[in-house]
């Protein structure tokens, strides 16, 4: 759930107080740091003498579980558009097939995030949520029975994903069903930032999620392998009326809920994994965020160290040593992009916990590309996000990387696809974006089970350059080995000039490379380029992302 007040124009005009103040504070702070970043905005390489990269196939890091996006705030309507339009968008998002020229038809997302609804749509204007796109239906009815025909558009896209080979599904929910919340709404309105759930309905909430898991599998043949029962409970736009679905929660309330869910799942023989807590900011994962209540911080330690007896969930059934967190607010300045991820990554490793990055879109403090307002179909946003993906994978060791909205519907940088609905909301036009295809440079070729490998960099004198695989102003390179030892290398050229280098692979050396390029050049969307013989010089066009797939 994107907490930015600019998420839609409606929110910008009508819900600006707390969340806008938070955005402004972060933006002002980041502008100060932004001004001090040498070369920022000029795309000047800081490690310009690197001439050779070597993939160290014996140095292995995290296993990649998936790349993903969500149906949030879009598919309830898009999913009932004319079938041919749904099919086209589904091909873009999920297909792993190529056309007759060998060009990928889509980006091959390997997991799909399904927003479990809360009932705000049935409340209409009384929900306190002005934008119809951000309301959700609920399977649960007021009389306690379930209607499995609800959320039809979203359920249609679950099937479209499955038909194209997606076999990982995650259910996330932004609030408890409105029948059980303390204020009768799916949007929070106070109570000192506590969980918007009546005390006598904790068990009901756990059972509701279990019922949704079982209902979707029984009626739609969709197995939710993962569920996230909280979304940004530490984000303080959730403390009082934000005008969108969401609730705050303390770590104790999260732990209480997860323990009840573990028991409910165990009794019903449900093997779905429970993930916490989709934090709004990496800082909350390993320390206290300066703008957030102290009882929202140190989440890694609180949930997975046995001595944190009040909040420990490491022994709860269905809870893996795996956490979910969002990359918002930590992508600028560049020093924080690296530092925060290294610090969080070290704490995760210390506690033997893996993590998934489960949401990102552009925010008000991402001032290098003009903030979140105003959609952008070009490489400007695509490269900026690619740089974040690289840092999440390389410095924080993310095992999964997931974008927020698969389809944006407003003038905001939050979509992979952008739709322009007609007045009925049941039809419209749509277009792809360079961001979607750049995500595809990762998701289409790095498949579940791939392992990230080490990359060494050397200058023109043969000297090893520390962290030479990451130049945020120029080349960023990461390497992977899919199942079957198939090599994949991703190269980002953030700079304004073409770059050349030598590429070596220590291990099972391929005969050559098949490059797939995404750039601002028209139709260069995972465009297959001329195959390169192993050992030949690699040339990377300016402001592009290229995936090199090994050929044997």
């Amino acid at each position: 759930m994107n907490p930015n007040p600019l998420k839609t124009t409606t929110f910008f005009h009508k819900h600006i107080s707390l969340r806008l103040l938070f955005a402004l504070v972060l933006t002002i702070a980041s502008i100060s740091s932004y001004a001090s970043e040498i070369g920022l905005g000029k795309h000047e390489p800081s490690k310009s003498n690197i001439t050779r990269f070597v993939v160290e196939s014996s140095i292995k890091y995290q296993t990649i579980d998936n790349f993903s996006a969500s149906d949030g705030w879009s598919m309830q309507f898009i999913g009932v558009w004319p079938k041919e339009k749904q099919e086209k968008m589904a091909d873009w998002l999920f297909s792993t097939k190529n056309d007759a020229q060998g060009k990928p038809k889509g980006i091959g997302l390997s997991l799909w995030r399904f927003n479990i609804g809360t009932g705000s749509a049935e409340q209409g204007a009384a929900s306190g949520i002005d934008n119809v796109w951000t309301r959700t239906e609920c399977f649960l009815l007021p009389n306690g029975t379930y209607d499995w025909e609800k959320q039809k558009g979203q359920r249609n896209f679950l099937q479209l994903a499955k038909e194209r080979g997606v076999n990982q599904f995650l259910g996330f929910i932004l609030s408890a069903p409105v029948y059980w919340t303390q204020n009768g709404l799916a949007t929070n309105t106070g109570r000192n930032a506590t969980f918007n759930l009546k005390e006598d309905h904790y068990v009901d909430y756990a059972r509701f999620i279990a019922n949704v898991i079982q209902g979707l599998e029984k009626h739609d043949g969709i197995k939710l392998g993962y569920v996230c029962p909280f979304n940004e409970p530490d984000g303080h736009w959730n403390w009082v009326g934000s005008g969108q679905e969401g609730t705050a929660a303390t770590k104790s309330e999260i732990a209480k809920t997860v323990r009840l869910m573990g028991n409910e799942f165990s009794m019903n023989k449900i093997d779905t994994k429970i993930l916490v807590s989709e934090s709004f900011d990496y800082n909350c994962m390993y320390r206290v965020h300066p703008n957030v209540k102290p009882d929202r911080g140190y989440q890694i330690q609180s949930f997975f160290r046995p001595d944190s007896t009040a909040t420990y969930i490491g022994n709860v059934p269905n809870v893996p040593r795996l956490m979910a967190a969002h990359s918002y607010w930590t992508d600028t300045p560049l020093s924080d992009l690296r530092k925060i991820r290294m610090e969080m990554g070290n704490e995760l490793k210390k506690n033997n916990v893996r993590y998934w990055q489960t949401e990102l879109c552009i925010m008000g403090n991402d001032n290098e590309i003009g903030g979140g307002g105003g959609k952008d179909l070009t490489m400007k946003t695509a490269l900026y996000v690619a740089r974040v993906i690289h840092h999440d994978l390389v410095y924080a060791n993310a095992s999964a990387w997931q974008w927020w909205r698969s389809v944006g519907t407003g003038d905001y940088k939050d979509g992979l696809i952008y739709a322009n609905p007609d007045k009925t909301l049941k039809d419209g036009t749509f277009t792809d974006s360079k961001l979607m295809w750049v995500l595809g440079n990762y998701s289409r070729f790095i498949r579940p089970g791939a392992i990230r490998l080490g990359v060494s960099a050397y200058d023109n004198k043969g000297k090893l350059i520390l962290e030479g695989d990451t130049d945020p102003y120029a080349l960023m390179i990461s390497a992977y080995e899919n199942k079957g030892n198939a090599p994949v290398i991703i190269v980002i050229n953030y700079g304004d000039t073409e770059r050349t280098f030598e590429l070596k692979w220590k291990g099972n050396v391929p005969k050559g490379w098949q490059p797939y390029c995404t750039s601002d050049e028209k139709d260069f969307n995972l465009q297959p380029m001329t195959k390169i013989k192993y050992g030949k010089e690699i040339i990377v066009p300016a402001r592009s992302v290229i995936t090199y797939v090994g050929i044997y």
Side-chain angles (χ1 to χ4, degrees), residues 45-50 395 465-472 499:
S46 56
K47 302 170 184 176
S48 57
N49 293 325
I50 292 177
Y395 285 101
I465 304 299
L466 185 65
E467 296 183 53
D469 57 348
T470 303
D471 185 340
R499 297 295 300 274

Side-chain angles (χ1 to χ4, degrees), residues 201-313:
H201 285 293
Y202 270 80
V203 172
D204 292 328
Y205 182 50
R207 188 165 297 141
F208 165 75
I209 294 178
N211 288 341
V212 169
I213 292 168
Q214 292 178 317
L216 284 173
E217 186 166 17
K218 178 180 179 181
H219 296 280
D220 291 281
I222 297 294
K223 173 62 181 291
L224 296 182
Y226 306 88
V227 67
C228 296
F230 293 90
N231 189 287
E232 300 180 351
D234 42 16
H236 57 326
W237 49 90
N238 270 332
W239 296 358
V240 294
S242 62
Q244 62 188 48
E245 289 190 349
T247 179
T250 66
K251 289 182 294 185
S252 294
E253 290 170 328
I254 293 169
K256 176 180 178 180
T257 304
V258 169
R259 289 165 181 161
L260 290 169
M261 288 177 62
N263 289 336
E264 190 70 30
F265 286 15
S266 181
M267 287 189 299
N268 288 281
K269 296 181 171 52
I270 296 171
D271 60 2
T272 299
K273 305 301 182 186
I274 305 167
L275 304 187
V276 295
S277 62
E278 298 219 64
S279 175
F280 88 106
D281 186 306
Y282 288 161
N283 284 286
C284 294
M285 290 280 281
Y286 67 99
R287 62 184 178 187
V288 173
H289 191 290
N291 300 108
V292 171
K293 291 176 181 290
D295 61 359
R296 304 317 199 254
Y298 294 106
Q299 293 179 20
I300 299 169
Q301 301 93 320
S302 298
F303 292 133
F304 287 101
R305 284 189 184 172
D307 56 354
S308 299
T309 55
T311 54
Y312 179 61
I313 58 173

Side-chain angles (χ1 to χ4, degrees), residues 318-387:
N318 297 68
V319 175
R321 297 191 77 84
L322 171 66
M323 296 184 72
H326 300 170
S327 200
Y328 299 123
W329 304 113
T330 61
D331 307 330
T332 186
L334 289 181
S335 54
D336 280 357
L337 179 66
R338 172 184 177 276
K339 177 175 177 288
I340 290 172
R341 284 157 180 77
M342 288 189 72
E343 290 175 347
M344 182 183 73
N346 288 336
E347 193 62 40
L348 286 162
K349 184 177 181 180
K350 186 189 306 182
N351 289 277
N352 191 30
V353 176
R354 299 189 305 131
Y355 103 101
W356 287 3
Q357 191 295 116
T358 52
E359 273 190 33
L360 180 68
C361 74
I362 304 304
M363 305 301 284
N365 70 325
D366 292 315
N367 39 60
E368 182 179 339
I369 57 171
K375 68 182 178 184
D376 173 34
L377 306 178
T378 74
M379 288 296 290
K380 181 174 71 171
T381 296
L383 283 166
Y384 187 84
V385 173
R387 184 165 67 188

Side-chain angles (χ1 to χ4, degrees), residues 422-436:
D422 65 16
K423 292 181 180 180
T424 71
L425 304 184
K426 296 181 180 180
D427 200 352
T429 59
F430 60 96
T431 186
D432 57 349
S433 69
K434 290 294 181 178
L435 171 58
M436 183 186 79

